[in-house]
Amino acid sequence: MDGRDWGKFLLPYQQAVEELKIKFKSLRKELKARDEYAPIEFVTGRVKRISSILEKARRLNVPLDRIETGIEDIAGIRIMCQFVDDIRKVAEMIRQRKDMMLVYEKDYVTNYKDSGYRSHHLIVEYPVQTSLGSMPVLAEIQIRTLAMNFWATIEHSLNYKYKEQLPPHVRERLRAAAEAASLLDTEMSSIRQEIVDAQQEFEESAGT
Amino acid sequence: MDGRDWGKFLLPYQQAVEELKIKFKSLRKELKARDEYAPIEFVTGRVKRISSILEKARRLNVPLDRIETGIEDIAGIRIMCQFVDDIRKVAEMIRQRKDMMLVYEKDYVTNYKDSGYRSHHLIVEYPVQTSLGSMPVLAEIQIRTLAMNFWATIEHSLNYKYKEQLPPHVRERLRAAAEAASLLDTEMSSIRQEIVDAQQEFEESAGT
Amino acid sequence: MDGRDWGKFLLPYQQAVEELKIKFKSLRKELKARDEYAPIEFVTGRVKRISSILEKARRLNVPLDRIETGIEDIAGIRIMCQFVDDIRKVAEMIRQRKDMMLVYEKDYVTNYKDSGYRSHHLIVEYPVQTSLGSMPVLAEIQIRTLAMNFWATIEHSLNYKYKEQLPPHVRERLRAAAEAASLLDTEMSSIRQEIVDAQQEFEESAGT
Amino acid sequence: MDGRDWGKFLLPYQQAVEELKIKFKSLRKELKARDEYAPIEFVTGRVKRISSILEKARRLNVPLDRIETGIEDIAGIRIMCQFVDDIRKVAEMIRQRKDMMLVYEKDYVTNYKDSGYRSHHLIVEYPVQTSLGSMPVLAEIQIRTLAMNFWATIEHSLNYKYKEQLPPHVRERLRAAAEAASLLDTEMSSIRQEIVDAQQEFEESAGT
């Protein structure tokens, strides 16, 4: 490679992923303990594999000495929600936090990709304390419903198998599946309103 | 209650849930490490809350001194799969294991409930080693796709809110959501075949 | 009590403990991954039980509405080291961190208590991000050798059994055990120098 | 090497370690929940590294196709106790279990090694359920006090540094440290009796 010790390079990213996972899991626990609605269903995280970092650097023409700023998803957090509306709530909670700084957002929920991909992405800067001092790292936080996540998992494994060259009929079926996932989310959303309405009624009747 | 120490009563069930979770998570890891298809996506487990045990005992007319055999889901394991076809593979793997004994099965995938509920249930007997000696406990293993699980989670929370008395229009919408979830599973299944076919072709061409 | 909801009161402290545990475990991992000496052997943490908080408040005459500042160890982290010299290294690392602020220190290693208790304590202020906003909490970080920890664990359980009123002959034996623990630490320290010396020699000979 | 896929070879051992760790941790939790004395302080486990397996095979003249039976500590569990007397209690509990079979024992507590090493070892056969069927694996369970463990950890790292060729003065100091550790255990044991006696008195006085 370029003589870089990749194992050591990834250390602050691993730290960031561990800390961010704990923080968003705590947020869920905290809201539940406060008897409030928790828009977070579960949280996962991963550090990008070195081979994938190098491939992405090549594809995006990022010089190897600019990887820290040029590739934004070396540290990746995924937050799964039950309902589409929960996504913007979680995004807003992240914007309010004092322990990370929002760099920019990509709303692939409203503007979904041609492939059918839907998710809300936030790129944040998060300071980790290493044995060499404080160090800011970029992390990508993806927020999606369970159905969006389900679809994205399948798409990822198909892209991996077909090396990003999906045959047309597979691409077609994936798009149909994305529609089905979206339909499921719409049906679920209609029930969400049901829950909120029911609670609203209850509180109003209790208020008189 | 009946003077029973419920905290101690639940101990072997907690042990069973911990051990079974580890065992099915290991199965997934093992298959991946063998470069084989792992039909398990993720595994969760829980011990039924005492209040729910008592309510179920009342509903099913199970005397309190027969709870160990009369209520089969005090220890509960849930295995999530990507595809509908994975469900019967996992079920078959469980039937083959020597560390638990199948008591009976309920196939709510083929014969789904009126509500729209789909899942494959296996009731197994699992021996735990306690400080008082070996002790068999019943556990319910539910196997379902991610979409089935998604729907079931929502249904559960609605039933909880409406105390099992869903208003007709909610019930209606839930049924529609179940259809959407099932459609998503069907679309996904069509892609599964795609993956398997592609691999098959590859192996055949490599074989000649 | 005073109408306070203790479950909710403890939430930020639980969050602080979870985050701090992850951070100090990461520090150990990071140093090992850098092939550097890691002065941290393992890390534990706990939130003080409500009954213990109330008892301590009574004993120290802390009014219940001043507990957040009057009781400093509601969030508690314990860092275990192999060698006595490691303790001050860990303390120095904590002083350097930007994600927590040192309030004050108590050096019970140099100035050990009459009972035989040895440990280095740092009281830090740590900001947690809750759903209600950012919130600073106090946490006590105890740094000790394995032998000091071993002894302290036993002393704690004896004090618990005897309700802080140890009979003279027990107190006597505990003090003798503290001496034995300290002797073990001294012997171990002499070997630590051995390791460091050996490495030093090696590097010097390599340098010529 | 010999064409063996070591990653796959180690899979059942990894499974055994995971399951055994959970089982002994459960035993501790269970005893505490029953308000009984738990002779287990904490539990760790590891799978031997491939390089160490090969080195040991060479040293012991174990042919590579006999490693499964010739090397007994590929799967290793370590159980730490507070008091020396707890060691034989844990050993007895293991002998009684129905989920593993004792192969043989080595009592290095009574008959400690020249180096000063003290621990009780049990070699057990434990059946793991793999995707290829049931498979018995050997595991070594080491039971020791915290002080014995502390000393053994240091000895291990010194042996590693000096490649098992400890200089005489280091060996000497290690032996002195072993004596100090043993003295600490003796002091602690005298307090254990204190605790048991106190409880005994209490129960006798309550009995009249």
Side-chain angles (χ1 to χ4, degrees), chain B residues 97-168:
Chain B
R97 291 182 76 101
K98 303 277 179 266
D99 53 352
M100 59 194 75
M101 202 191 69
L102 180 64
V103 181
Y104 72 97
E105 302 189 42
K106 289 181 280 190
D107 179 356
Y108 295 129
V109 175
T110 325
N111 313 298
Y112 56 92
K113 292 190 184 178
D114 272 359
S115 61
Y117 180 83
R118 284 165 170 89
S119 270
H120 192 103
H121 294 191
L122 291 96
I123 310 297
V124 299
E125 191 182 285
Y126 179 75
V128 291
Q129 307 299 314
T130 74
S131 67
L132 309 175
S134 185
M135 184 176 158
V137 302
L138 292 181
E140 184 181 83
I141 304 172
Q142 302 178 340
I143 319 175
R144 26 170 98 159
T145 63
L146 295 167
M148 292 173 191
N149 185 48
F150 181 21
W151 181 89
T153 309
I154 305 281
E155 192 216 18
H156 184 78
S157 68
L158 281 169
N159 267 324
Y160 188 79
K161 276 175 198 296
Y162 286 107
K163 304 198 160 81
E164 308 272 337
Q165 304 290 334
L166 295 183

Coordinates of all heavy atoms in Angstrom, one line a residue, chain B residues 97-168:
Chain B
R97 N -30.9 -31.1 16.4 CA -30.0 -30.9 17.5 C -30.2 -31.9 18.6 O -31.3 -32.4 18.9 CB -30.3 -29.5 18.1 CG -29.8 -28.4 17.2 CD -30.1 -27.0 17.8 NE -29.0 -26.8 18.8 CZ -28.0 -26.0 18.6 NH1 -27.8 -25.4 17.5 NH2 -27.1 -25.8 19.6
K98 N -29.1 -32.2 19.3 CA -29.1 -33.2 20.3 C -29.2 -32.5 21.7 O -29.3 -33.2 22.7 CB -27.8 -34.0 20.3 CG -27.5 -34.7 19.0 CD -28.3 -36.0 18.9 CE -28.1 -36.8 17.6 NZ -29.1 -36.4 16.6
D99 N -29.1 -31.2 21.8 CA -29.1 -30.5 23.1 C -30.5 -30.0 23.5 O -30.6 -29.3 24.5 CB -28.1 -29.4 23.1 CG -28.2 -28.4 22.0 OD1 -29.0 -28.7 21.1 OD2 -27.5 -27.4 22.0
M100 N -31.5 -30.2 22.6 CA -32.9 -29.9 23.0 C -33.8 -30.9 22.3 O -33.4 -31.5 21.3 CB -33.2 -28.4 22.5 CG -33.1 -28.2 21.1 SD -33.1 -26.4 20.7 CE -31.4 -25.9 21.2
M101 N -35.0 -31.0 22.8 CA -35.9 -32.1 22.3 C -37.2 -31.4 21.8 O -37.8 -30.7 22.6 CB -36.2 -33.1 23.4 CG -36.7 -34.4 22.9 SD -37.3 -35.4 24.2 CE -38.8 -34.5 24.7
L102 N -37.6 -31.6 20.6 CA -38.8 -31.0 20.1 C -40.0 -31.6 20.7 O -40.1 -32.9 20.8 CB -38.9 -31.2 18.5 CG -40.1 -30.7 17.9 CD1 -40.1 -29.1 18.0 CD2 -40.1 -31.1 16.4
V103 N -40.9 -30.8 21.2 CA -42.1 -31.3 21.8 C -43.2 -31.3 20.8 O -43.8 -32.3 20.5 CB -42.5 -30.5 23.1 CG1 -43.8 -31.0 23.7 CG2 -41.4 -30.5 24.1
Y104 N -43.5 -30.1 20.1 CA -44.4 -30.0 19.0 C -44.2 -28.7 18.2 O -43.4 -27.8 18.7 CB -45.8 -30.3 19.4 CG -46.5 -29.1 20.1 CD1 -47.3 -28.2 19.4 CD2 -46.3 -29.0 21.5 CE1 -47.9 -27.1 20.1 CE2 -46.9 -27.9 22.2 CZ -47.7 -27.0 21.5 OH -48.3 -26.0 22.1
E105 N -44.8 -28.6 17.1 CA -44.6 -27.4 16.2 C -46.0 -26.8 15.9 O -47.0 -27.5 15.8 CB -43.9 -27.8 14.9 CG -42.6 -28.4 15.1 CD -41.8 -28.6 13.8 OE1 -41.8 -27.7 13.0 OE2 -41.2 -29.7 13.6
K106 N -46.0 -25.5 15.6 CA -47.2 -24.9 15.1 C -46.7 -24.0 13.9 O -46.0 -23.1 14.0 CB -47.8 -24.0 16.2 CG -48.4 -24.7 17.3 CD -49.1 -23.8 18.3 CE -48.0 -23.2 19.3 NZ -48.6 -22.5 20.4
D107 N -47.3 -24.4 12.7 CA -46.8 -23.7 11.5 C -47.8 -22.6 11.1 O -48.8 -22.8 10.3 CB -46.7 -24.8 10.4 CG -46.3 -24.1 9.0 OD1 -46.2 -22.9 9.0 OD2 -46.1 -24.8 8.1
Y108 N -47.6 -21.4 11.7 CA -48.4 -20.3 11.3 C -47.9 -19.5 10.1 O -48.3 -18.4 9.9 CB -48.5 -19.3 12.5 CG -49.2 -19.8 13.7 CD1 -48.6 -19.7 15.0 CD2 -50.5 -20.4 13.7 CE1 -49.2 -20.2 16.1 CE2 -51.1 -20.9 14.8 CZ -50.4 -20.8 16.0 OH -51.0 -21.3 17.2
V109 N -47.0 -20.2 9.4 CA -46.6 -19.5 8.1 C -47.5 -20.0 7.0 O -48.1 -19.2 6.3 CB -45.1 -19.9 7.8 CG1 -44.7 -19.3 6.4 CG2 -44.2 -19.3 8.9
T110 N -47.7 -21.3 6.9 CA -48.6 -21.9 6.0 C -50.1 -21.5 6.4 O -50.9 -21.1 5.6 CB -48.5 -23.4 5.9 OG1 -47.1 -23.8 6.0 CG2 -49.0 -23.9 4.5
N111 N -50.3 -21.8 7.6 CA -51.7 -21.5 8.2 C -51.7 -20.3 9.0 O -51.7 -20.4 10.2 CB -52.2 -22.7 9.0 CG -51.9 -24.1 8.3 OD1 -52.4 -24.3 7.2 ND2 -51.0 -24.9 8.9
Y112 N -51.7 -19.1 8.4 CA -51.6 -17.9 9.2 C -52.9 -17.6 9.9 O -54.0 -18.0 9.5 CB -51.1 -16.7 8.4 CG -51.9 -16.4 7.2 CD1 -52.9 -15.4 7.2 CD2 -51.5 -17.0 5.9 CE1 -53.6 -15.1 6.1 CE2 -52.3 -16.6 4.8 CZ -53.3 -15.7 4.9 OH -54.0 -15.3 3.8
K113 N -52.8 -16.9 11.0 CA -53.9 -16.6 11.8 C -54.8 -15.5 11.2 O -54.4 -14.8 10.3 CB -53.5 -16.0 13.2 CG -52.8 -17.0 14.1 CD -52.6 -16.5 15.5 CE -51.8 -17.4 16.4 NZ -51.5 -16.9 17.7
D114 N -56.1 -15.5 11.6 CA -57.0 -14.5 11.1 C -56.5 -13.1 11.1 O -56.6 -12.2 10.2 CB -58.3 -14.5 11.9 CG -59.3 -15.5 11.3 OD1 -58.9 -16.2 10.3 OD2 -60.4 -15.7 11.9
S115 N -55.7 -12.8 12.2 CA -55.2 -11.4 12.4 C -54.2 -11.0 11.4 O -53.9 -9.9 11.1 CB -54.6 -11.4 13.8 OG -53.5 -12.3 13.8
G116 N -53.6 -12.1 10.7 CA -52.5 -11.8 9.8 C -51.2 -12.3 10.3 O -50.2 -12.3 9.6
Y117 N -51.2 -12.8 11.5 CA -50.0 -13.3 12.2 C -49.3 -14.5 11.5 O -50.0 -15.5 11.2 CB -50.3 -13.7 13.6 CG -49.0 -14.1 14.4 CD1 -48.2 -13.3 15.0 CD2 -48.8 -15.5 14.5 CE1 -47.0 -13.7 15.7 CE2 -47.7 -16.0 15.2 CZ -46.8 -15.0 15.8 OH -45.7 -15.5 16.5
R118 N -48.1 -14.4 11.1 CA -47.3 -15.5 10.5 C -46.0 -15.7 11.3 O -45.3 -14.7 11.6 CB -46.9 -15.1 9.1 CG -48.0 -15.1 8.1 CD -47.6 -14.4 6.8 NE -48.5 -14.6 5.7 CZ -49.6 -13.8 5.4 NH1 -49.9 -12.8 6.2 NH2 -50.4 -14.1 4.4
S119 N -45.7 -16.9 11.6 CA -44.5 -17.4 12.3 C -44.5 -18.9 12.4 O -45.6 -19.5 12.4 CB -44.4 -16.8 13.7 OG -43.8 -15.5 13.8
H120 N -43.3 -19.5 12.5 CA -43.3 -20.9 12.8 C -42.8 -21.1 14.2 O -41.8 -20.5 14.6 CB -42.3 -21.5 11.8 CG -42.3 -23.0 11.8 ND1 -42.9 -23.8 10.8 CD2 -41.9 -23.9 12.7 CE1 -42.8 -25.1 11.1 NE2 -42.2 -25.2 12.2
H121 N -43.6 -21.8 15.0 CA -43.2 -22.0 16.4 C -42.8 -23.4 16.7 O -43.4 -24.4 16.2 CB -44.5 -21.7 17.3 CG -44.9 -20.3 17.3 ND1 -45.9 -19.8 18.2 CD2 -44.6 -19.2 16.5 CE1 -46.1 -18.5 17.9 NE2 -45.4 -18.2 16.9
L122 N -41.7 -23.6 17.4 CA -41.3 -24.9 17.9 C -41.3 -24.8 19.4 O -40.6 -24.0 20.0 CB -40.0 -25.3 17.4 CG -39.8 -25.6 15.9 CD1 -39.3 -24.4 15.2 CD2 -38.9 -26.8 15.7
I123 N -42.0 -25.8 20.1 CA -41.9 -25.9 21.5 C -40.8 -27.0 21.8 O -40.9 -28.1 21.3 CB -43.2 -26.3 22.2 CG1 -44.3 -25.4 21.6 CG2 -43.1 -26.3 23.7 CD1 -44.2 -24.0 22.0
V124 N -39.8 -26.6 22.5 CA -38.7 -27.6 22.8 C -38.5 -27.8 24.3 O -38.9 -26.9 25.1 CB -37.3 -27.2 22.2 CG1 -37.4 -27.1 20.7 CG2 -36.8 -25.9 22.8
E125 N -38.0 -28.9 24.7 CA -37.6 -29.1 26.1 C -36.1 -29.0 26.1 O -35.4 -29.6 25.3 CB -38.1 -30.5 26.5 CG -37.9 -30.7 28.0 CD -38.3 -32.1 28.5 OE1 -39.5 -32.4 28.5 OE2 -37.4 -32.9 28.7
Y126 N -35.6 -28.1 27.0 CA -34.2 -27.9 27.1 C -33.7 -28.1 28.5 O -34.2 -27.5 29.4 CB -33.9 -26.4 26.6 CG -32.4 -26.1 26.7 CD1 -31.5 -26.5 25.7 CD2 -32.0 -25.2 27.7 CE1 -30.2 -26.1 25.8 CE2 -30.6 -24.9 27.8 CZ -29.7 -25.3 26.8 OH -28.4 -25.0 26.9
P127 N -32.7 -28.9 28.7 CA -32.2 -29.2 30.1 C -31.2 -28.1 30.5 O -30.2 -27.9 29.9 CB -31.5 -30.5 30.0 CG -31.1 -30.7 28.6 CD -31.9 -29.8 27.7
V128 N -31.5 -27.4 31.7 CA -30.5 -26.5 32.2 C -29.9 -27.1 33.5 O -30.6 -27.8 34.2 CB -31.1 -25.1 32.5 CG1 -31.5 -24.4 31.3 CG2 -32.3 -25.2 33.5
Q129 N -28.6 -26.8 33.7 CA -27.9 -27.3 34.9 C -28.0 -26.2 35.9 O -27.3 -25.2 35.7 CB -26.5 -27.6 34.5 CG -26.3 -28.6 33.4 CD -27.0 -29.9 33.6 OE1 -26.8 -30.5 34.6 NE2 -27.7 -30.4 32.6
T130 N -28.7 -26.4 37.0 CA -28.8 -25.4 38.0 C -28.0 -25.9 39.2 O -27.5 -27.0 39.2 CB -30.3 -25.2 38.5 OG1 -30.7 -26.3 39.3 CG2 -31.2 -25.0 37.3
S131 N -27.9 -25.0 40.2 CA -27.1 -25.4 41.4 C -27.9 -26.5 42.2 O -27.3 -27.1 43.1 CB -26.9 -24.2 42.3 OG -28.1 -23.7 42.8
L132 N -29.1 -26.7 41.8 CA -29.9 -27.8 42.5 C -30.0 -29.0 41.6 O -30.7 -30.0 41.9 CB -31.3 -27.3 42.7 CG -31.5 -25.9 43.4 CD1 -33.0 -25.5 43.5 CD2 -30.9 -26.0 44.8
G133 N -29.2 -29.0 40.5 CA -29.2 -30.2 39.6 C -29.8 -29.9 38.2 O -30.1 -28.8 37.9
S134 N -29.9 -30.9 37.4 CA -30.4 -30.8 36.0 C -31.9 -30.6 36.1 O -32.6 -31.2 36.9 CB -30.0 -32.0 35.2 OG -30.3 -31.8 33.9
M135 N -32.4 -29.7 35.2 CA -33.8 -29.4 35.2 C -34.3 -29.1 33.8 O -33.7 -28.2 33.1 CB -34.0 -28.2 36.1 CG -35.5 -27.8 36.3 SD -35.5 -26.4 37.4 CE -37.2 -25.8 36.9
P136 N -35.3 -29.9 33.3 CA -35.8 -29.6 31.9 C -36.7 -28.4 32.0 O -37.6 -28.3 32.8 CB -36.5 -30.9 31.6 CG -37.0 -31.4 32.9 CD -36.1 -30.9 33.9
V137 N -36.6 -27.5 31.0 CA -37.6 -26.4 30.9 C -38.1 -26.3 29.5 O -37.4 -26.7 28.5 CB -37.0 -25.0 31.3 CG1 -36.5 -25.0 32.7 CG2 -36.0 -24.5 30.3
L138 N -39.4 -25.9 29.4 CA -39.9 -25.7 28.0 C -39.5 -24.3 27.5 O -39.4 -23.3 28.3 CB -41.5 -25.8 28.1 CG -42.1 -27.1 28.4 CD1 -43.6 -27.0 28.4 CD2 -41.6 -28.2 27.4
A139 N -39.3 -24.2 26.2 CA -39.0 -22.9 25.6 C -39.7 -22.9 24.2 O -39.9 -23.9 23.6 CB -37.5 -22.8 25.4
E140 N -40.2 -21.7 23.9 CA -40.9 -21.6 22.6 C -39.9 -20.8 21.6 O -39.4 -19.7 21.9 CB -42.2 -20.8 22.7 CG -42.9 -20.7 21.4 CD -44.2 -19.8 21.4 OE1 -44.1 -18.6 21.4 OE2 -45.2 -20.4 21.6
I141 N -39.6 -21.4 20.5 CA -38.7 -20.8 19.5 C -39.6 -20.3 18.3 O -40.3 -21.2 17.7 CB -37.7 -21.8 19.0 CG1 -36.9 -22.3 20.2 CG2 -36.7 -21.1 18.0 CD1 -35.9 -23.4 19.9
Q142 N -39.7 -19.0 18.1 CA -40.4 -18.5 17.0 C -39.5 -18.2 15.9 O -38.5 -17.4 16.1 CB -41.1 -17.2 17.4 CG -42.1 -17.4 18.6 CD -42.8 -16.1 19.1 OE1 -42.3 -15.0 18.8 NE2 -43.9 -16.2 19.8
I143 N -39.8 -18.7 14.7 CA -39.0 -18.4 13.5 C -39.8 -17.6 12.5 O -40.9 -18.0 12.2 CB -38.5 -19.7 12.8 CG1 -38.1 -20.7 13.9 CG2 -37.3 -19.4 11.9 CD1 -37.7 -22.0 13.3
R144 N -39.3 -16.5 12.0 CA -40.1 -15.6 11.2 C -39.1 -14.8 10.3 O -38.0 -14.6 10.6 CB -40.9 -14.6 12.0 CG -40.4 -14.3 13.4 CD -41.2 -13.2 14.0 NE -42.2 -13.6 14.9 CZ -42.7 -12.9 15.9 NH1 -42.3 -11.6 16.0 NH2 -43.6 -13.4 16.7
T145 N -39.7 -14.2 9.2 CA -38.9 -13.3 8.4 C -38.9 -11.9 9.1 O -39.6 -11.7 10.0 CB -39.5 -13.1 7.0 OG1 -40.8 -12.5 7.2 CG2 -39.7 -14.4 6.2
L146 N -38.0 -11.1 8.6 CA -37.9 -9.7 9.1 C -39.3 -9.0 9.0 O -39.7 -8.3 9.9 CB -36.8 -8.9 8.4 CG -35.4 -9.5 8.6 CD1 -34.4 -8.9 7.6 CD2 -34.9 -9.2 10.0
A147 N -39.9 -9.2 7.8 CA -41.2 -8.5 7.6 C -42.3 -9.0 8.6 O -43.1 -8.3 9.1 CB -41.6 -8.7 6.1
M148 N -42.3 -10.3 8.7 CA -43.3 -10.9 9.7 C -43.0 -10.4 11.1 O -43.9 -10.1 11.8 CB -43.1 -12.5 9.7 CG -43.6 -13.2 8.5 SD -43.1 -15.0 8.6 CE -43.4 -15.5 6.9
N149 N -41.7 -10.2 11.4 CA -41.4 -9.8 12.7 C -41.8 -8.3 12.9 O -42.3 -7.9 14.0 CB -39.9 -9.9 12.9 CG -39.4 -9.5 14.3 OD1 -40.0 -10.0 15.3 ND2 -38.4 -8.6 14.5
F150 N -41.5 -7.5 11.9 CA -41.9 -6.1 11.9 C -43.4 -6.0 12.2 O -43.8 -5.3 13.1 CB -41.5 -5.6 10.5 CG -41.8 -4.1 10.3 CD1 -41.9 -3.2 11.4 CD2 -41.9 -3.6 9.0 CE1 -42.1 -1.9 11.2 CE2 -42.1 -2.3 8.8 CZ -42.3 -1.4 9.9
W151 N -44.2 -6.7 11.4 CA -45.6 -6.6 11.6 C -46.0 -7.1 13.0 O -46.9 -6.5 13.7 CB -46.3 -7.5 10.5 CG -47.8 -7.5 10.6 CD1 -48.6 -6.6 10.0 CD2 -48.6 -8.4 11.4 NE1 -49.9 -6.9 10.3 CE2 -50.0 -7.9 11.2 CE3 -48.4 -9.4 12.3 CZ2 -51.0 -8.6 11.8 CZ3 -49.5 -10.0 12.9 CH2 -50.8 -9.6 12.7
A152 N -45.5 -8.2 13.5 CA -45.8 -8.8 14.7 C -45.5 -7.8 15.9 O -46.3 -7.8 16.9 CB -45.1 -10.1 15.0
T153 N -44.4 -7.1 15.7 CA -44.1 -6.1 16.8 C -45.1 -5.0 16.9 O -45.5 -4.6 18.0 CB -42.7 -5.4 16.4 OG1 -41.8 -6.5 16.1 CG2 -42.2 -4.6 17.6
I154 N -45.6 -4.5 15.7 CA -46.6 -3.5 15.7 C -47.9 -4.1 16.3 O -48.5 -3.4 17.1 CB -46.8 -3.0 14.3 CG1 -45.6 -2.5 13.6 CG2 -47.9 -1.9 14.3 CD1 -45.1 -1.2 14.0
E155 N -48.3 -5.3 15.8 CA -49.5 -5.8 16.3 C -49.5 -6.0 17.8 O -50.5 -5.7 18.5 CB -49.8 -7.2 15.7 CG -51.2 -7.7 16.0 CD -51.3 -9.2 16.2 OE1 -50.2 -9.9 16.5 OE2 -52.4 -9.8 16.1
H156 N -48.4 -6.4 18.3 CA -48.2 -6.6 19.8 C -48.5 -5.3 20.5 O -49.2 -5.3 21.5 CB -46.8 -7.2 20.1 CG -46.6 -7.5 21.5 ND1 -47.1 -8.7 22.1 CD2 -46.0 -6.8 22.5 CE1 -46.8 -8.7 23.4 NE2 -46.2 -7.6 23.7
S157 N -47.8 -4.2 20.0 CA -48.0 -3.0 20.8 C -49.4 -2.4 20.6 O -49.9 -1.8 21.6 CB -46.9 -2.0 20.3 OG -47.2 -1.5 19.0
L158 N -50.1 -2.7 19.5 CA -51.5 -2.2 19.4 C -52.4 -3.1 20.3 O -53.2 -2.5 21.0 CB -51.9 -2.4 17.9 CG -51.5 -1.2 17.0 CD1 -51.7 -1.6 15.5 CD2 -52.2 0.1 17.4
N159 N -52.2 -4.4 20.3 CA -53.0 -5.2 21.2 C -52.8 -4.8 22.7 O -53.7 -4.8 23.5 CB -52.6 -6.7 21.1 CG -53.5 -7.4 20.1 OD1 -54.7 -7.1 20.0 ND2 -52.9 -8.3 19.3
Y160 N -51.5 -4.4 23.0 CA -51.3 -4.0 24.3 C -52.0 -2.7 24.7 O -52.7 -2.6 25.7 CB -49.7 -3.8 24.5 CG -49.3 -3.5 25.9 CD1 -49.2 -4.5 26.8 CD2 -49.0 -2.2 26.3 CE1 -48.8 -4.3 28.1 CE2 -48.6 -2.0 27.6 CZ -48.5 -3.0 28.5 OH -48.1 -2.8 29.8
K161 N -52.0 -1.7 23.7 CA -52.7 -0.5 23.9 C -54.2 -0.7 24.0 O -54.9 -0.1 24.9 CB -52.4 0.5 22.8 CG -51.1 1.2 23.0 CD -50.7 2.1 21.8 CE -49.3 2.5 21.9 NZ -48.9 3.3 23.1
Y162 N -54.8 -1.5 23.1 CA -56.2 -1.7 23.1 C -56.7 -2.9 23.9 O -57.8 -3.3 23.8 CB -56.7 -1.9 21.6 CG -56.6 -0.6 20.8 CD1 -55.7 -0.5 19.8 CD2 -57.6 0.4 20.9 CE1 -55.6 0.7 19.0 CE2 -57.6 1.5 20.2 CZ -56.6 1.6 19.2 OH -56.6 2.8 18.4
K163 N -55.7 -3.4 24.8 CA -56.1 -4.5 25.6 C -56.7 -5.7 24.9 O -57.8 -6.2 25.3 CB -57.0 -4.1 26.8 CG -56.3 -3.0 27.6 CD -57.0 -2.8 29.0 CE -56.1 -2.1 29.9 NZ -56.1 -0.6 29.8
E164 N -56.1 -6.1 23.8 CA -56.6 -7.2 22.9 C -58.0 -6.9 22.3 O -58.5 -7.8 21.6 CB -56.7 -8.5 23.7 CG -55.4 -8.9 24.5 CD -54.4 -9.7 23.6 OE1 -54.9 -10.3 22.7 OE2 -53.2 -9.7 23.9
Q165 N -58.6 -5.7 22.5 CA -59.9 -5.4 21.8 C -59.7 -4.4 20.7 O -60.1 -3.2 20.9 CB -60.8 -4.8 22.9 CG -61.1 -5.7 24.1 CD -61.9 -6.9 23.8 OE1 -62.6 -6.9 22.8 NE2 -61.7 -8.0 24.6
L166 N -59.1 -4.8 19.6 CA -58.8 -3.9 18.5 C -60.1 -3.4 17.9 O -61.0 -4.2 17.6 CB -57.9 -4.5 17.4 CG -56.5 -5.0 17.8 CD1 -55.8 -5.5 16.6 CD2 -55.7 -3.8 18.4
P167 N -60.2 -2.0 17.7 CA -61.4 -1.5 17.0 C -61.4 -2.1 15.6 O -60.3 -2.3 15.0 CB -61.2 0.0 17.0 CG -60.1 0.3 18.0 CD -59.3 -1.0 18.1
P168 N -62.5 -2.3 15.0 CA -62.6 -2.9 13.6 C -61.7 -2.2 12.6 O -61.0 -2.9 11.8 CB -64.1 -2.8 13.2 CG -64.8 -2.7 14.5 CD -63.9 -2.0 15.5

